[in-house]
Amino acid sequence: MSAGTPRHLGEPPPLQRRWQLWTGLGLAVLLVVTGFAWVGSSSDGRQGSKGRAASPPTPSSAATGGGAGPTTTGAAVATTAAPSGVTPPGPRNLLANNSFENGTGGWKPLGKARLTRSTDATEGGWSLRILADPSAGGTVGITVPDATLTKLNGRYHTNAWVRPSAPGTTVTIGLREYHDGKPVPGSNTLGWTADNDGWRQFGAIHLARLNGSRLALEIMARDLPPGGYLDVDEVVLHLLPSQ
């Protein structure tokens, strides 16, 4: 330092100059690192948000086997199916008076039977009671002589609820064709011997031999004791659908 230069304006010692240089460089590096750190954190935040927005969707029914196409098809099938709990209508009962709620009309006695009604019924308020001879008993029954006209090879099904007054009674139900007033061979009759008291349902199927025959329904009770009876209720006669 020259003699004319003030002390405070003179050059600093070498060590002091190096300290000032490193201090400046350190501040510059700190500013650069802080700037990069801020830019990086901001970029990470945006990238994270973008990553979440662009993440693949969770698999759903539209992206799997249960997609929109199969679902639509299933709905269409469901609309054509029968509603749950609904039974499709069955064959029409060909008997006008099958439950005897309005009397015995349409039914004729067989043998020495006498017809009356009883309040012991399986459904509704009445059943038909077929009374045997009070002194001799024997075979009695009922018939609908002109239940329907047959169709060739038609399958006719009948059943009924029956209850004889005494065990050991044989009950039969059958369908018989009549053509020109004469029985046609091949009638179908099913028999059952009661071994206990109470109602029982049974029936038979008949294959029509001719077209246009009169089809008669017959229900019989054999070997009834004197004063015995046979109760009958809920009789049906159906023409089954062709196979």
Side-chain angles (χ1 to χ4, degrees), residues 1-28:
M1 179 175 61
S2 61
T5 303
R7 179 180 297 273
H8 66 279
L9 297 178
E11 294 181 0
L15 180 60
Q16 184 177 2
R17 286 199 301 270
R18 288 196 298 271
W19 180 85
Q20 290 176 346
L21 177 63
W22 284 111
T23 300
L25 288 175
L27 289 175

Side-chain angles (χ1 to χ4, degrees), residues 141-158:
I142 53 173
T143 181
V144 179
D146 296 294
T148 189
L149 293 178
T150 60
K151 296 181 179 180
L152 180 62
N153 296 325
R155 295 185 304 125
Y156 293 88
H157 166 253
T158 184

